[in-house]
Amino acid sequence: MRKVFVTGGAGFIGSAFVKLLLDESDDWFITNFDALTYAGNLENLTGLDENRHHFIRGDIADRDAVTQALENDCEAIVNFAAESHVDRSITSADDFLRTNVTGTQILLDAARAKGVKRFVQVSTDEVMGSLPEDDASFFTEDSPFAPNSPYAASKAAAEHLVRAAHHTFGLDTVVTRCGNNYGPRQFPEKFLPLAIANAMNDQTIPVYGDGMNVRDWIYVEDHCRAILAVMEKGKPGRVYNIGARNPRRNLEVVQSLLDALGKPHSLLRFVTDRLGHDRRYAIDPSLIEAELDWRPRETWASGLAKTIAWYRENNRWLENTRSGAYRDYYRLQYGTEVNAS
Ligand code: NAD
Ligand code: TYD
């Protein structure tokens, strides 16, 4: 068995990666290490093969817990664990620094101590800041760091630590920088699942500012296949941008969603803009396409249809995540009740 230590594997992308790995080959044994914060959900892991998947509840910023959980003969650590929502980082950056920065360094130290063969850091296009609105500029692997939110700054700091571990100690590291993911099991604080959940309940959809901000959307499983390719074939020390060549304005995203759900565009509500809101993200994925022969499998239409179908079929998951502390978060963030029309 080839052992992989996945952190944050009870979250949105991490759980999709765990499922993909188990589906792709019988060779993998996964230790899934996750603190189960508000974003982690054991329901995301139901039905997995227990002979090949072992869940440990633990915090990557807890050195003893990581040392205890990480075995010696591991092929890779894949680090998904993070505080991941920009709006929460604007409210308070504390947890972002602890998990995204300190946690990453603790994992790097543990990887060296235990002789882990490869360290995969799951990063984000947001470390490169905001592009001009010219439709002609794209993020490449050589784009300079220019993080604008506390979230992006913490992910950029983590990347610097990964780079330093490679340069100073020769640790085999690879970094992936992806754009906005969408798909099943995404926590409904993020734009797409929030919009789907609200629209399904005939509630208004809050659109920040003028809705003309651009995000580059990718179906979560396509992102996970790219991470797998980088884990297996990426060059040591390299950064790989991941994107499906699918940049869209937020307004267009909501409109296609409402059309697909058969709901009126009148559900759309412009609300106060996010502080420091990045205007445009767009990724040039030429390197990963050429070097690792990776391509996305889903189009925007097919990915959106799959995503909507999943949320329709999993209303209980959605309602569970939209209860409890989520209601307080929603009231603070949007100034209305989660179930207000
Ligand atoms: P998520 O918020 O859905 O999940 C994060 C997971 O990490 C949760 O299961 C949570 O319990 C766990 N976690 C948080 N703090 C932890 C800690 N201290 N120790 C152990 N586990 C902890 O996030 P996601 O959207 O699945 O993102 C996963 C990774 O991908 C993140 O590193 C994020 O920066 C990156 N990323 C996300 C996107 C996106 O569009 N969502 C795009 C590019 C990169
Ligand atoms: P989000 O899903 O938070 O991802 P990120 O900020 O990491 O790109 O937001 C995606 C886009 O949608 C972003 O431009 C902010 C916007 N947005 C809204 O317009 N309304 C909302 O309620 C949220 C959460 C986001």
Side-chain angles (χ1 to χ4, degrees), residues 178-192:
C178 191
N180 287 59
N181 285 226
Y182 66 100
R185 299 176 204 86
Q186 186 168 28
F187 193 80
E189 64 188 355
K190 303 278 165 50
F191 189 44
L192 213 96

Side-chain angles (χ1 to χ4, degrees), residues 11-13 34-35 37 39-40 58-60 80 82 84 99 123 151 155 179 181:
F12 165 48
I13 308 174
D34 192 300
T37 67
D59 178 353
I60 61 165
F80 291 95
S84 67
T99 291
S123 192
Y151 162 67
K155 293 295 288 188
N181 285 226

Side-chain angles (χ1 to χ4, degrees), residues 85 126 180 189-191 206-208 215 250 274 277 334:
H85 192 39
E126 301 191 30
N180 287 59
E189 64 188 355
K190 303 278 165 50
F191 189 44
V207 175
Y208 295 159
R215 295 294 182 266
N250 291 342
R274 170 187 281 172
H277 194 176
Y334 299 102

Side-chain angles (χ1 to χ4, degrees), residues 6-15 18 32-35 40 58 60 78-82:
V6 173
T7 70
F12 165 48
I13 308 174
S15 63
V18 165
N32 185 347
F33 188 83
D34 192 300
I60 61 165
V78 188
N79 183 25
F80 291 95

Side-chain angles (χ1 to χ4, degrees), residues 17-333:
F17 183 76
V18 165
K19 284 172 203 288
L20 176 71
L21 223 51
L22 294 175
D23 285 349
E24 282 294 290
S25 156
D26 292 339
D27 285 355
W28 300 110
F29 181 87
I30 301 168
T31 300
N32 185 347
F33 188 83
D34 192 300
L36 296 181
T37 67
Y38 77 92
N41 187 345
L42 286 179
E43 275 188 62
N44 293 347
L45 302 171
T46 44
L48 301 187
D49 180 352
E50 283 178 18
N51 295 316
R52 297 194 293 134
H53 174 258
H54 176 51
F55 181 81
I56 298 176
R57 184 172 189 176
D59 178 353
I60 61 165
D62 177 343
R63 196 175 289 277
D64 292 341
V66 169
T67 307
Q68 214 184 333
L70 185 63
E71 291 184 62
N72 272 317
D73 45 353
C74 228
E75 289 232 349
I77 291 179
V78 188
N79 183 25
F80 291 95
E83 288 296 330
S84 67
H85 192 39
V86 172
D87 290 324
R88 287 187 193 255
S89 81
I90 293 169
T91 305
S92 168
D94 292 355
D95 291 344
F96 290 74
L97 296 184
R98 184 171 184 282
T99 291
N100 302 3
V101 185
T102 305
T104 300
Q105 184 60 46
I106 285 173
L107 289 175
L108 289 164
D109 293 342
R112 285 202 298 126
K114 299 276 179 114
V116 173
K117 293 199 188 83
R118 169 157 276 196
F119 191 96
V120 184
Q121 173 68 5
V122 181
S123 192
T124 163
D125 60 353
E126 301 191 30
V127 299
M128 297 173 279
S130 191
L131 289 166
E133 282 188 279
D134 55 9
D135 283 341
S137 51
F138 294 90
F139 292 133
T140 71
E141 286 75 6
D142 296 326
S143 297
F145 279 82
N148 287 324
S149 70
Y151 162 67
S154 70
K155 293 295 288 188
E159 272 201 46
H160 286 311
L161 295 171
V162 173
R163 180 192 155 91
H166 176 71
H167 184 84
T168 306
F169 302 109
L171 187 69
D172 181 336
T173 63
V174 279
V175 173
T176 61
R177 287 185 195 148
C178 191
N180 287 59
N181 285 226
Y182 66 100
R185 299 176 204 86
Q186 186 168 28
F187 193 80
E189 64 188 355
K190 303 278 165 50
F191 189 44
L192 213 96
L194 187 139
I196 293 176
N198 284 17
M200 283 188 350
N201 290 295
D202 296 311
Q203 295 159 223
T204 58
I205 296 165
V207 175
Y208 295 159
D210 62 4
M212 299 302 268
N213 304 66
V214 175
R215 295 294 182 266
D216 200 343
W217 297 91
I218 184 170
Y219 191 66
V220 63
E221 225 175 82
D222 283 328
H223 179 196
C224 291
R225 282 184 202 284
I227 294 170
L228 183 55
V230 171
M231 180 176 100
E232 295 203 286
K233 303 185 286 185
K235 295 214 172 100
R238 265 248 214 264
V239 173
Y240 293 90
N241 283 357
I242 301 170
R245 299 182 187 273
N246 184 37
R248 284 169 199 278
R249 295 190 192 281
N250 291 342
L251 214 49
E252 186 198 339
V253 168
V254 188
Q255 283 164 353
S256 37
L257 192 80
L258 289 168
D259 291 343
L261 283 164
K263 299 286 181 179
H265 288 195
S266 55
L267 281 179
L268 204 152
R269 283 281 182 288
F270 288 103
V271 301
T272 310
D273 206 354
R274 170 187 281 172
L275 289 177
H277 194 176
D278 279 343
R279 196 64 176 167
R280 179 171 168 264
Y281 302 152
I283 293 162
D284 177 356
S286 302
L287 179 70
I288 190 170
E289 288 174 356
E291 203 176 286
L292 305 184
D293 198 24
W294 170 88
R295 298 283 184 289
R297 295 187 179 180
E298 302 297 337
T299 63
W300 174 236
S302 69
L304 200 57
K306 280 189 176 182
T307 305
I308 289 172
W310 189 87
Y311 283 98
R312 274 194 165 133
E313 285 158 21
N314 291 275
N315 204 36
R316 196 178 59 89
W317 183 98
L318 200 53
E319 287 318 311
N320 287 347
T321 56
R322 275 163 47 101
S323 63
Y326 182 77
R327 290 173 179 274
D328 301 330
Y329 164 77
Y330 199 95
R331 199 179 303 117
L332 256 175
Q333 181 65 24

